[in-house]
Amino acid sequence: MRKFPEKANIVIVGLGGIVGASVAHHLIERGWDDVVGIDTSAIPTDIGSTSHASDFCYTTSNDFMSVWTTLYSIDFYERLGHYARVGGLEVARVSDDVRMEEIKRRVSSGKAFGTRSHLVTPAEIKAKFPLIEESVVQGGLWDPDAGLVVPRSQTVAGLLVENAEKTGRLRAFANTPALELVIGDGRIRGVVTPRGTIRADIVIVCTGIWGARRRRWRARICR
């Protein structure tokens, strides 16, 4: 077993998920080195959100940042050869005018933010999805760039970590939970794990909703 480091430039908590793996990839792509990634589970994760995600990317949202990050992600996955651009539908029933107005707003936002989403008629919806009953829908939204990460974002996370390790700039440690955060001068200065404490100039927490569930996390104050 490799010796657990006592110091690193960057520590990524939650390396096994798609966010942590992507952060490692992009940091190394931009020249960072001496990066250490830890995860409470396997790498790629076998318990976190990435392990049971829908893997569906949809470009429509009412805020620019969500749309921009999704468009970037689609392009990123496609360049890796791991994206199926199958398109996606949102529909409104005949009796649901509120839903139809929301769909119109999403299309307007999508056009403003640079997506190709547009309104479609009941006949167009039926042509794209023959199982639907055309008479019960009044319209909808078609997003031609929506699609799926293939075969899984979990698989892509594993490939990103594997390639990052090959550069020699990333060291990955699975089954290594973060137990405490070391705080000094108002900043996170390190992470306490069962294998030891690692100090770092930068600590990036990529655990999503699972971070809040770790009630054992405490702040150890250092001087």
Side-chain angles (χ1 to χ4, degrees):
M1 183 179 293
R2 290 178 299 169
K3 184 179 185 299
F4 192 71
E6 297 179 355
K7 182 74 172 65
N9 286 335
I10 299 174
V11 170
I12 299 172
V13 180
L15 179 70
I18 190 62
V19 174
S22 179
V23 167
H25 167 86
H26 285 85
L27 285 172
I28 290 168
E29 191 177 58
R30 285 158 176 74
W32 288 84
D33 60 8
D34 193 18
V35 180
V36 172
I38 63 174
D39 202 285
T40 192
S41 71
I43 297 176
T45 182
D46 52 7
I47 63 172
S49 298
T50 302
S51 66
H52 49 79
S54 67
D55 298 311
F56 189 53
C57 294
Y58 214 84
T59 68
T60 54
S61 182
N62 288 320
D63 69 280
F64 174 75
M65 184 57 68
S66 294
V67 173
W68 185 89
T69 54
T70 302
L71 289 172
Y72 178 86
S73 297
I74 288 173
D75 180 66
F76 178 69
Y77 288 130
E78 200 160 54
R79 282 188 282 113
L80 293 175
H82 289 285
Y83 190 70
R85 201 182 291 257
V86 297
L89 275 171
E90 287 191 36
V91 302
R93 292 177 178 272
V94 169
S95 59
D96 196 346
D97 293 336
V98 173
R99 170 67 172 161
M100 194 64 215
E101 285 302 312
E102 171 61 16
I103 285 175
K104 290 177 180 178
R105 282 194 295 271
R106 289 165 71 86
V107 168
S108 296
S109 296
K111 289 180 178 179
F113 299 152
T115 78
R116 298 195 297 158
S117 60
H118 57 272
L119 294 173
V120 284
T121 65
E124 291 172 314
I125 293 169
K126 179 71 173 179
K128 294 180 183 300
F129 188 65
L131 294 179
I132 205 163
E133 294 183 36
E134 183 179 343
S135 61
V136 303
V137 295
Q138 60 173 301
L141 173 159
W142 170 248
D143 179 358
D145 297 310
L148 292 165
V149 182
V150 291
R152 293 291 313 281
S153 55
Q154 183 183 31
T155 303
V156 176
L159 292 173
L160 292 176
V161 171
E162 181 182 338
N163 291 335
E165 285 188 290
K166 287 178 181 178
T167 68
R169 296 179 177 183
L170 171 71
R171 288 171 286 175
F173 294 88
N175 304 308
T176 307
L179 302 178
E180 298 180 34
L181 300 177
V182 180
I183 308 297
D185 299 323
R187 292 186 56 187
I188 301 175
R189 301 293 184 178
V191 181
V192 180
T193 80
R195 296 188 179 188
T197 298
I198 177 170
R199 300 295 181 117
D201 298 322
I202 300 172
V203 176
I204 306 174
V205 180
C206 301
T207 56
I209 62 171
W210 305 102
R213 290 171 61 107
R214 182 160 292 282
R215 295 186 178 89
R216 291 184 298 165
W217 273 20
R218 298 180 299 276
R220 177 179 294 182
I221 308 299
C222 66
R223 302 297 181 188

